[in-house]
Amino acid sequence: MRPRTELALAVGTVTLLGLIVTAIGSRGARPGDDDVRRSTYLAGPFGARAWADALELLDIRVRRHRGRTRDLTAAGVAAPGVAFAALDPVAPLTPLDGVELVAAAAAGSELLLAGRGSEAVMACYGYGIEPSPGGKAVVLGDTLEVAARLSRLSDSVARRRSLLDDGSDVACGPVPARVERLLDTIEGEPIALRLSPDSGGAVTLVADGRLFTNRALRESSAGELALGFVAGRVGTVVVDEYHQGFGPAGGMLAAARAWLLSSPLGWAMLQLFGVAVIALLAGAVRFGPARRVIVRTRRSPLEHVRALANALAAARGHDEAVDLLIRGLQRRLARAGERSRVEPREWLAELALQVRTPASQRAVATLQSIRRGRIGAEGVRRAALAVEDVWQDLRP
């Protein structure tokens, strides 16, 4: 693998691992206990996770809705047996949200609206929230502190609260309804009401969203009251988490995926990455047998003999070189399995009687004369050539 390919692969792997670790870390990070949102995602003292967990123990399905209220129909909220809960949202609901929720209630679903963040929708039913400093209520023998109460709005005030910022009006006028009191202060002021509108559905209004907090459910009997708002009435509770700040944005990994799929530059990067992966796979996998680039032919035995002669001549072992050449020729001309122990001088005398051509006869005579005289480098060369001539004449 080329160094550039290895570097690109390493950078891509590190980037991918960084994105995964960042996404896992962002998902695992939990807000602190000082988070005051009434979200079912929060397990702190001010969150509402305990309320959602208790509903599930009562076989009531809890779904977190992280989209806008205009998506309620697609989310299956506008149907009988389903309750939509807005628990004191930090991003207040608008009159347009009130139109969507009133339509969902008219389709048979129930609404649970709590806290000042839901006041714009409460105005559609003719109610608002007023502060009640030092207010107290008794729930199953426990005395609870409440900071707000419900108040009936006049028709003019209700219609004024249904105006948008630009002054335009929306179809969210007061809806006639039958009223049932669920919780009052000690002074008899309403804190929680259940409305049965003539248009259909049921709407529960709660002035103080602290009744749904984890602390209230743990330290008082408010939990039984808060669960009783929906328990035994519906089989599914859809909790609004969008207005609590938990929108559909997701983490860094989701943002990177959305950018890659929606941006032209992102598509280009995906295509380049795909080409790089294909090139890497094509370079890493071998299809078929290995191909030999350089054709190497096997050397003949005589070439080895000549090379050995030259090496011995260079080491000034001329006598030994000639004897080795003659013994090598003797071994090659011997029959299969036969090992000759005849001395080179005697064997050359016998060989002179066996050769057939004048060239081979001269070669044998050359070998005999070289062995009788003083052998030098030229003698080794002549002996190698003579051995080759004899081999060409007598080889099987």
Side-chain angles (χ1 to χ4, degrees):
M1 189 180 296
R2 296 181 178 180
R4 292 184 178 179
T5 304
E6 294 180 355
L7 179 60
L9 183 60
V11 172
T13 303
V14 170
T15 303
L16 181 60
L17 291 177
L19 291 175
I20 295 175
V21 170
T22 304
I24 294 176
S26 62
R27 291 181 62 184
R30 296 182 178 179
D33 291 344
D34 56 347
D35 198 326
V36 297
R37 293 177 291 177
R38 312 287 187 251
S39 171
T40 57
Y41 286 120
L42 302 179
F46 305 108
R49 183 172 179 176
W51 182 75
D53 293 343
L55 289 178
E56 291 181 341
L57 293 177
L58 296 176
D59 294 331
I60 298 177
R61 182 185 179 189
V62 177
R63 290 165 43 197
R64 277 83 172 177
H65 183 67
R66 301 179 64 176
R68 298 179 182 272
T69 52
R70 64 189 178 192
D71 303 328
L72 294 179
T73 303
V77 176
V82 180
F84 180 82
L87 306 179
D88 199 4
V90 293
L93 299 175
T94 65
L96 292 177
D97 295 327
V99 173
E100 299 289 341
L101 293 178
V102 169
S109 63
E110 295 195 8
L111 302 180
L112 174 58
L113 307 174
R116 188 170 293 277
S118 305
E119 193 173 9
V121 185
M122 294 182 182
C124 294
Y125 295 96
Y127 283 87
I129 296 178
E130 293 184 0
S132 178
K136 295 183 179 181
V138 178
V139 179
L140 300 178
D142 288 344
T143 302
L144 305 179
E145 294 184 359
V146 292
R149 63 181 179 86
L150 296 172
S151 62
R152 183 70 182 178
L153 301 177
S154 62
D155 292 345
S156 60
V157 175
R159 292 186 182 278
R160 185 169 63 251
R161 291 191 178 182
S162 66
L163 297 178
L164 299 179
D165 294 337
D166 58 359
S168 58
D169 191 8
V170 296
C172 185
V175 178
R178 295 181 300 275
V179 181
E180 176 187 357
R181 291 202 173 195
L182 302 179
L183 179 65
D184 293 338
T185 63
I186 298 178
E187 293 79 10
E189 298 173 341
I191 300 174
L193 299 176
R194 178 173 289 126
L195 308 181
S196 300
D198 296 339
S199 58
V203 181
T204 302
L205 308 180
V206 182
D208 195 343
R210 293 185 299 175
L211 296 175
F212 300 91
T213 60
N214 299 324
R215 174 177 293 174
L217 267 67
R218 182 176 64 250
E219 298 178 354
S220 67
S221 300
E224 299 183 25
L225 176 66
L227 294 174
F229 291 150
V230 293
R233 302 178 56 85
V234 296
T236 302
V237 175
V238 179
V239 184
D240 178 24
E241 293 292 348
Y242 177 83
H243 293 89
Q244 300 289 2
F246 293 95
M252 181 178 178
L253 187 61
R257 182 174 62 250
W259 179 81
L260 288 175
L261 296 178
S262 61
S263 172
L265 181 59
W267 274 108
M269 292 180 62
L270 287 177
Q271 293 174 5
L272 291 177
F273 180 75
V275 172
V277 170
I278 294 175
L280 182 62
L281 294 177
V285 179
R286 185 179 68 194
F287 299 95
R291 293 169 49 187
R292 293 184 177 274
V293 180
I294 301 177
V295 180
R296 300 182 182 275
T297 57
R298 187 176 180 84
R299 293 184 178 181
S300 65
L302 290 178
E303 287 182 311
H304 289 283
V305 171
R306 183 178 297 176
L308 178 61
N310 293 333
L312 291 174
R316 298 186 180 278
H318 304 108
D319 296 341
E320 184 69 20
V322 171
D323 286 343
L324 289 176
L325 289 172
I326 296 174
R327 291 183 181 278
L329 179 62
Q330 181 182 1
R331 186 168 57 253
R332 284 179 170 80
L333 294 177
R335 295 184 180 89
E338 179 183 357
R339 298 182 63 183
S340 176
R341 297 184 179 180
V342 182
E343 291 294 328
R345 187 185 301 274
E346 299 177 2
W347 182 77
L348 287 176
E350 296 177 359
L351 183 63
L353 302 176
Q354 298 178 6
V355 294
R356 298 185 294 268
T357 61
S360 60
Q361 292 175 357
R362 287 194 299 270
V364 173
T366 300
L367 291 175
Q368 291 175 335
S369 64
I370 290 175
R371 291 197 81 260
R372 287 193 298 266
R374 186 174 181 179
I375 303 174
E378 180 64 22
V380 175
R381 187 185 67 81
R382 290 172 54 206
L385 295 175
V387 166
E388 183 175 356
D389 293 339
V390 175
W391 169 254
Q392 294 295 333
D393 182 35
L394 297 181
R395 66 180 180 181

